[in-house]
Amino acid sequence: VDFGLGMQIDTSLHMCASTITLLLTIVVTTWPFFIAPVLLAIVSLLLLTVAADRSARMIKRFANNAVSPVLTTVNEMRNGAALIRSMQLRDFFAARQRHHVVELVGLMYHQKAVMTWLNHVSAHVSFVLGLGMSLYLMLGQVSKNTATLTLT
């Protein structure tokens, strides 16, 4: 049973609900000006999330396929340890294992890099949206109560 899946779903639903609530508050309080940027931010975040998710899944699939040669080599070395020692093939197996591990670690690194990239891009989109809203509220003709509600 996967205990982490329930927590991930709960966290994702909570983040989605919070984001929708905040965006609706922004749109309702600053209706004419921020409807287009909010819609653009939503669409761009959805597209970026889909692209990063598909890329990460593809890289994860490659990484899962790269695990097999690593485990196979370990099994061969364990089962044939006496033969490997007697035929002095230690360097051959070490080089082969090193090659497989480097490939596996590289794929895992790329998967993490894709997810980190998504986090950075999402943060930048959120920052630009928040900066634009803050500037509009500071420079526009908006009541203090509405500005306070929007910024919270």
Side-chain angles (χ1 to χ4, degrees):
V1 177
D2 188 7
F3 294 108
L5 182 61
M7 291 194 63
Q8 288 178 348
I9 291 172
D10 182 53
T11 303
S12 298
L13 290 175
H14 177 72
M15 289 176 56
C16 288
S18 297
T19 303
I20 290 170
T21 303
L22 289 172
L23 291 175
L24 285 175
T25 304
I26 292 169
V27 169
V28 167
T29 56
T30 59
W31 172 255
F33 181 72
F34 260 98
I35 189 71
V38 166
L39 289 177
L40 182 65
I42 291 171
V43 169
S44 64
L45 284 175
L46 286 175
L47 290 174
L48 290 169
T49 302
V50 167
D53 185 49
R54 287 182 182 169
S55 299
R57 272 190 280 146
M58 184 62 73
I59 294 170
K60 182 68 172 173
R61 192 173 299 123
F62 291 150
N64 287 339
N65 289 338
V67 169
S68 180
V70 172
L71 298 177
T72 300
T73 303
V74 168
N75 191 30
E76 288 174 354
M77 289 188 301
R78 186 180 53 115
N79 291 338
L83 183 63
I84 291 170
R85 267 188 247 116
S86 67
M87 296 186 69
Q88 299 176 349
L89 293 173
R90 183 180 194 165
D91 293 337
F92 167 76
F93 280 97
R96 187 168 81 169
Q97 184 70 349
R98 187 178 310 111
H99 169 73
H100 293 316
V101 168
V102 165
E103 184 178 341
L104 173 64
V105 170
L107 289 168
M108 289 179 171
Y109 170 78
H110 287 301
Q111 181 194 10
K112 185 70 173 174
V114 167
M115 297 313 293
T116 302
W117 173 82
L118 175 64
N119 288 338
H120 286 301
V121 170
S122 300
H124 287 141
V125 169
S126 300
F127 171 74
V128 168
L129 184 64
L131 179 66
M133 181 186 61
S134 298
L135 290 174
Y136 172 73
L137 292 174
M138 286 190 298
L139 303 175
Q141 301 298 326
V142 179
S143 71
K144 290 182 182 182
N145 293 336
T146 303
T148 304
L149 175 65
T150 304
L151 289 176
T152 58

